[in-house]
Amino acid sequence: MATYDTLNAQQYEAVTTTEGALLIIAGAGSGKTRVLTHRTAYLIEEKGINPYNIMAITFTNKAASEMRERIDNMVGFGAESIWVTTFHSTCVRILRRFADHIGFDTSFTIYDADDQKQVMKEVCKRLEIDTKIYKEKMFLNVISSAKDNLTDPTEFALNATGDYARQRQAQVYREYQAVLKKNNAMDFDDLIMKTVELFKSDVEVLDYYQERFKYIMVDEYQDTNTAQFELIRLLAGKYGNLCVVGDDDQSIYKFRGANIRNILNFEQYFPQAKVIKLEQNYRSTQNILDAANSVIAHNVGRKQKVLWTDQAAGEKIHFKQFDTAYDEAEYVAADIEKQVRAGGSYSDSAVLYRTNAQSRMFEERFIAENIPYKLVGGVNFYARKEIKDILAYLKTIDNAKDDLAVKRIINIPKRGIGATTINKVQTYADGNEMSFYDAAKIADEIPTVGRSAAKIAPFVTFIQTMRSKANFLSVPELIQNIIQDTGYVRELEAENTPEADARVENIDELISKAVTYEESTEVPTLSGFLEEVALVADIDEVVEGSEYVVLMTLHSAKGLEFPNVYLAGLEDGLFPSYMTITSDNADEEMEEERRLCYVGITRAMKRLTITSAKMRMVRGETMYSKVSRFVSEIPVDLLSGTVATGKSIPRPSQTEKTSPYVNAAKQILREKPIVKVPVKAFSTNATDQMTLSYREGDRVHHIKFGEGTVTQIIAGGRDYEVTVDFDRFGTKKMFASFAKLKKV
């Protein structure tokens, strides 16, 4: 039995409001998962609702697993009947039963990002598109966005009338979908879109699931896109018992298609909806919350709320500004060591940053200082070549209609089957409207293939043998059979290199994953294993309680919490980004960046350090920046720490002396002052041909950076080197001939 007396007043109201539409605005750390689990228990224990009629849906496997565990512990008997799952897993489950109603085989394959790229390469080649001009990734992004908004190829083509670029995109979209359909495959966006299509085209199927899910709860609602919203709207259409939980201030996935209007306009979509705000925070100290409240209050498009806690005020926010990003990383490394020496743990700390590129400096320092760390959001385990190869074998065994998987491994390990032979088989398959594998099975009957058919036959025999074994072998045994019979691991071991050893260890880890799947699944199947692998997200890689510092982008950090957080690179031009500041839609983009900052601040439980650098290398160029505007939005009385000025670069160790970054930093920040040369004294062969319309101290305008003040003009031999302190972008150095500055 669940106990409800530990809930605060707002949480209790959210738990006991069970009928109709309900919007729970759950501030960071306000116990939203607790509310959802208690609400589930309340529906069953107090309202007598059959667990079979309840659905709880979220985004990541990690969140779903946590919710499933809590519900199982609280509800006990009958909890297994509740669907606690992710959006994609939900749709896979539905489509596995009814995909044949919309023209797919129910054993369809799920294509990941690499599979999609491969299909797109084929499509562009077939349509004779120059991928040096029109990138495959661009087409994939356009298609993904279209699917997020439930726009099919036909509607997309209609909307593209009169626009050549869009018409070309429509052509690619249509062909891309045709390839997926032929391969009996769906990409991630299809899983949602095709389920919506199923519901809209088949009233009986929709009614079945509406009757099944009379009470629906959606977590992280602010992250839903248009397709997900429509999916939920359809499911809840009959009974209207829809409870959504989210925080508009943590809507940071617009680039993935998230539509913040879903949560901001919830009451417009559901006029009778009740709104409850959870503002009591159980994670952070009051000073951290006050800083977060102060920053997010500058956003206009939000629902008003103020986070508070009954904890003590805690430490002030530590703010440090450094001369260089090298200094920043060195300080963070030293401070983490200081915290550990004081009795803390490496796993207490996380370094959060705006862009993946920022991790390099921290990685170098952590390696130099022997600080254990984990980079989250790097190369995904399942994207590594050896893992993709083994999975392609499994996909081929499971669904031989998947042309992409078959072609990936038909010559891995090498069987002497070249690209020419593969293309001939593909051409025959296309001409006879059959799968690549079916054509490969009769390769000896394809005139153009000739003697190469003898090389294809052993591969087909192997796959057929493995398909027959799949009926009685477990997934780990299948993998073992594959690597044994193909000699895949033997080839790696023969290389006798650390890289090959690491790849063998990765395959071992895949086998471990398969064993875990078998042990934790009631009815394990090869299809089920491939689905689980396909649905893994980066955030699921974080292992709680592990002894290492976590390095990750702010986007990856959402949903996590750490006692000690370093928010790095708080500079205008980096965070908020330069693209945000100069965007045509700058106000809206800036609000999303500010929400990202809010997410970063609220990851900290007890201690928050914000750092910035006056100078850092970006794309090989030195960038000078002002402290981020977000820092200035935090009241001064909440901050502690001094701004570093005139600090010389620390002497690098032997391993660091050759660092281009350190050498550049030393050059720019050398103690010897720069000798200023008046413009009128210039008489070099290039500069004496130039006449500047401005002098030091003048106000000038730059086409991208706007207005600023000229602080220095130096003879450069070929050009004038002009330093300008821009009002919005901080200090920039540039050559006059390129800058084209105009005096204001």
Side-chain angles (χ1 to χ4, degrees):
M1 289 289 289
T3 55
Y4 308 100
D5 53 0
T6 57
L7 301 170
N8 65 40
Q10 289 71 34
Q11 289 175 333
Y12 183 78
E13 185 182 10
V15 165
T16 56
T17 303
T18 59
E19 307 304 306
L22 171 65
L23 169 61
I24 302 173
I25 300 292
S30 62
K32 66 182 178 64
T33 305
R34 196 157 175 265
V35 167
L36 285 173
T37 52
H38 277 76
R39 192 173 189 276
T40 304
Y42 186 84
L43 282 168
I44 296 167
E45 294 173 357
E46 305 298 328
K47 301 293 289 185
I49 304 302
N50 189 332
Y52 180 84
N53 295 131
I54 300 172
M55 167 190 271
I57 193 166
T58 187
F59 281 82
T60 68
N61 295 313
K62 182 176 185 292
S65 296
E66 181 185 346
M67 197 184 302
R68 162 58 73 189
E69 185 178 351
R70 290 203 199 181
I71 287 175
D72 287 350
N73 291 337
M74 188 172 292
V75 175
F77 181 75
E80 69 280 357
S81 300
I82 305 169
W83 271 28
V84 184
T85 181
T86 64
F87 273 99
H88 290 105
S89 295
T90 295
C91 292
V92 168
R93 205 161 162 184
I94 293 169
L95 291 169
R96 283 291 179 225
R97 288 192 65 183
F98 296 107
D100 55 337
H101 290 218
I102 52 172
F104 281 80
D105 191 310
T106 54
S107 64
F108 61 86
T109 297
I110 302 169
Y111 276 3
D112 64 13
D114 283 347
D115 296 329
Q116 291 177 265
K117 287 177 193 171
Q118 191 59 43
V119 171
M120 187 54 69
K121 281 183 181 178
E122 291 182 13
V123 168
C124 289
K125 185 177 179 181
R126 193 175 301 169
L127 296 178
E128 299 181 343
I129 291 172
D130 186 348
T131 52
K132 291 180 180 178
I133 300 174
Y134 303 102
K135 301 294 183 184
E136 293 106 328
K137 190 171 182 181
M138 179 273 290
F139 287 122
L140 287 170
N141 287 339
V142 167
I143 291 170
S144 178
S145 179
K147 291 180 180 180
D148 284 348
N149 289 293
L150 297 175
T151 304
D152 63 19
T154 302
E155 185 181 352
F156 191 97
L158 287 173
N159 295 337
T161 304
D163 185 330
Y164 175 77
R166 296 290 282 179
Q167 286 176 332
R168 174 54 63 93
Q169 291 165 6
Q171 186 183 17
V172 170
Y173 185 9
R174 184 172 58 251
E175 189 68 21
Y176 171 83
Q177 285 303 106
V179 173
L180 262 61
K181 183 70 180 297
K182 175 177 172 292
N183 288 357
N184 191 39
M186 298 186 195
D187 62 24
F188 270 71
D189 297 312
D190 280 329
L191 296 178
I192 312 290
M193 187 176 181
K194 294 298 180 185
T195 306
V196 171
E197 180 186 326
L198 171 67
F199 285 167
K200 287 187 172 181
S201 63
D202 196 315
V203 177
E204 289 184 4
V205 172
L206 175 60
D207 186 67
Y208 170 79
Y209 283 105
Q210 286 177 335
E211 284 295 332
R212 171 76 195 265
F213 303 122
K214 295 178 181 178
Y215 291 85
I216 301 170
M217 290 176 283
V218 185
D219 193 14
E220 301 289 3
Y221 186 67
Q222 76 283 345
D223 295 334
T224 54
N225 59 35
T226 301
Q228 289 160 338
F229 168 79
E230 185 64 9
L231 176 75
I232 294 301
R233 188 191 69 79
L234 288 166
L235 281 172
K238 189 168 187 176
Y239 290 97
N241 297 322
L242 173 62
C243 168
V244 301
V245 185
D247 182 4
D248 52 300
D249 289 335
Q250 295 186 72
S251 178
I252 58 172
Y253 294 128
K254 183 181 178 184
F255 69 98
R256 291 184 190 168
N259 185 354
I260 193 174
R261 296 294 154 198
N262 289 348
I263 191 167
L264 291 180
N265 298 339
F266 186 79
E267 298 98 310
Q268 293 181 26
Y269 302 130
F270 304 94
Q272 306 302 315
K274 184 172 184 176
V275 180
I276 298 172
K277 295 180 182 179
L278 305 182
E279 297 171 289
Q280 184 174 356
N281 178 283
Y282 294 91
R283 175 190 299 157
S284 308
T285 62
Q286 191 60 55
N287 279 339
I288 291 172
L289 296 180
D290 286 346
N293 288 332
S294 298
V295 171
I296 202 64
H298 287 76
N299 273 5
V300 176
R302 64 185 293 260
K303 291 181 179 290
Q304 295 299 315
K305 63 179 170 301
V306 177
L307 296 181
W308 62 276
T309 182
D310 55 12
Q311 295 186 51
E315 295 182 38
K316 289 189 175 184
I317 314 302
H318 302 275
F319 172 68
K320 301 281 184 182
Q321 184 189 24
F322 301 96
D323 284 321
T324 71
Y326 178 90
D327 293 334
E328 177 186 52
E330 185 180 57
Y331 170 81
V332 170
D335 198 57
I336 288 172
E337 288 287 25
K338 179 181 174 183
Q339 301 302 317
V340 172
R341 286 195 301 271
S345 163
Y346 286 116
S347 59
D348 288 342
S349 299
V351 182
L352 312 180
Y353 36 79
R354 181 64 182 84
T355 65
N356 276 308
Q358 289 170 258
S359 72
R360 181 182 69 84
M361 199 69 70
F362 292 105
E363 289 189 79
E364 288 181 0
R365 289 310 310 155
F366 286 6
I367 291 169
E369 302 295 337
N370 287 319
I371 295 174
Y373 72 91
K374 179 178 176 68
L375 182 67
V376 177
V379 177
N380 187 290
F381 177 81
Y382 297 104
R384 294 167 186 167
K385 181 185 182 304
E386 60 276 11
I387 303 303
K388 291 282 289 181
D389 289 344
I390 303 302
L391 289 176
Y393 269 107
L394 293 176
K395 288 178 181 178
T396 301
I397 293 164
D398 184 55
N399 173 23
K401 291 182 181 178
D402 184 351
D403 289 1
L404 215 59
V406 179
K407 285 191 285 186
R408 180 184 180 93
I409 43 87
I410 194 170
N411 198 42
I412 294 178
K414 288 188 171 20
R415 300 181 174 91
I417 304 169
T420 303
T421 300
I422 292 172
N423 289 336
K424 287 175 180 177
V425 175
Q426 184 65 65
T427 300
Y428 182 84
D430 291 342
N432 291 273
E433 297 185 348
M434 62 199 306
S435 72
F436 178 91
Y437 183 75
D438 286 340
K441 285 197 292 186
I442 55 169
D444 57 346
E445 298 176 20
I446 303 174
T448 56
V449 172
R451 285 181 292 179
S452 296
K455 298 175 181 177
I456 297 174
F459 169 76
V460 172
T461 301
F462 172 70
I463 295 299
Q464 291 297 99
T465 302
M466 293 305 297
R467 294 188 80 181
S468 64
K469 287 183 178 181
N471 295 323
F472 57 88
L473 290 182
S474 67
V475 178
E477 289 170 337
L478 271 176
I479 298 174
Q480 293 278 19
N481 269 248
I482 290 167
I483 60 178
Q484 180 67 36
D485 294 354
T486 62
Y488 194 102
V489 168
R490 284 197 298 275
E491 283 196 4
L492 290 174
E493 289 172 340
E495 289 181 26
N496 196 28
T497 63
E499 292 78 13
D501 291 343
R503 291 174 65 186
V504 172
E505 289 171 1
N506 288 336
I507 293 172
D508 289 340
E509 184 60 29
L510 180 65
I511 295 171
S512 298
K513 164 68 181 175
V515 170
T516 302
Y517 165 76
E518 292 274 344
E519 291 175 347
S520 61
T521 306
E522 190 172 334
V523 185
T525 63
L526 177 56
S527 295
F529 175 72
L530 291 171
E531 283 168 22
E532 183 163 310
V533 166
L535 296 170
V536 169
D538 279 352
I539 196 169
D540 297 327
E541 295 179 26
V542 178
V543 181
E544 293 181 13
S546 299
E547 185 57 22
Y548 49 67
V549 178
V550 172
L551 293 174
M552 63 170 73
T553 63
L554 285 152
H555 282 102
S556 298
K558 186 169 168 292
L560 303 175
E561 58 184 40
F562 304 91
N564 183 33
V565 169
Y566 299 88
L567 201 51
L570 267 287
E571 300 134 33
D572 268 11
L574 183 59
F575 188 33
S577 68
Y578 168 73
M579 289 184 66
T580 296
I581 297 170
T582 58
S583 168
D584 293 336
N585 195 19
D587 290 344
E588 189 174 316
E589 297 292 333
M590 189 64 71
E591 295 218 345
E592 176 123 348
E593 288 281 286
R594 190 174 282 110
R595 290 194 292 270
L596 195 56
C597 183
Y598 172 86
V599 165
I601 293 172
T602 53
R603 296 315 91 195
M605 299 166 70
K606 299 186 179 302
R607 191 169 183 273
L608 173 64
T609 302
I610 296 176
T611 62
S612 71
K614 294 178 182 177
M615 181 199 86
R616 73 173 66 238
M617 284 289 211
V618 178
R619 292 179 295 275
E621 297 179 359
T622 302
M623 183 175 82
Y624 296 84
S625 301
K626 289 183 176 181
V627 175
S628 169
R629 64 196 66 195
F630 299 149
V631 175
S632 66
E633 292 170 358
I634 300 174
V636 177
D637 60 353
L638 294 177
L639 298 172
S640 73
T642 56
V643 176
T645 55
K647 183 176 181 290
S648 60
I649 294 294
R651 180 175 296 171
S653 65
Q654 285 299 116
T655 58
E656 297 157 349
K657 282 181 180 177
T658 57
S659 165
Y661 181 85
V662 174
N663 291 339
K666 288 173 68 178
Q667 175 69 15
I668 290 167
L669 296 172
R670 63 190 183 278
E671 294 181 7
K672 183 180 177 181
I674 295 171
V675 179
K676 298 181 183 179
V677 182
V679 175
K680 62 183 179 182
F682 286 167
S683 58
T684 52
N685 54 9
T687 52
D688 62 6
Q689 303 298 316
M690 297 174 61
T691 303
L692 297 183
S693 63
Y694 48 84
R695 297 287 185 271
E696 290 181 8
D698 284 351
R699 295 282 291 172
V700 293
H701 181 271
H702 185 274
I703 190 168
K704 285 188 177 178
F705 302 132
E707 292 189 8
T709 302
V710 178
T711 58
Q712 199 172 75
I713 301 176
I714 306 172
R718 292 172 178 264
D719 203 343
Y720 297 127
E721 186 182 83
V722 185
T723 303
V724 183
D725 184 10
F726 289 102
D727 299 343
R728 295 176 65 194
F729 293 91
T731 304
K732 307 282 182 189
K733 282 186 183 240
M734 54 195 74
F735 288 117
S737 60
F738 289 102
K740 295 183 170 41
L741 298 168
K742 293 184 179 179
K743 185 176 179 180
V744 179

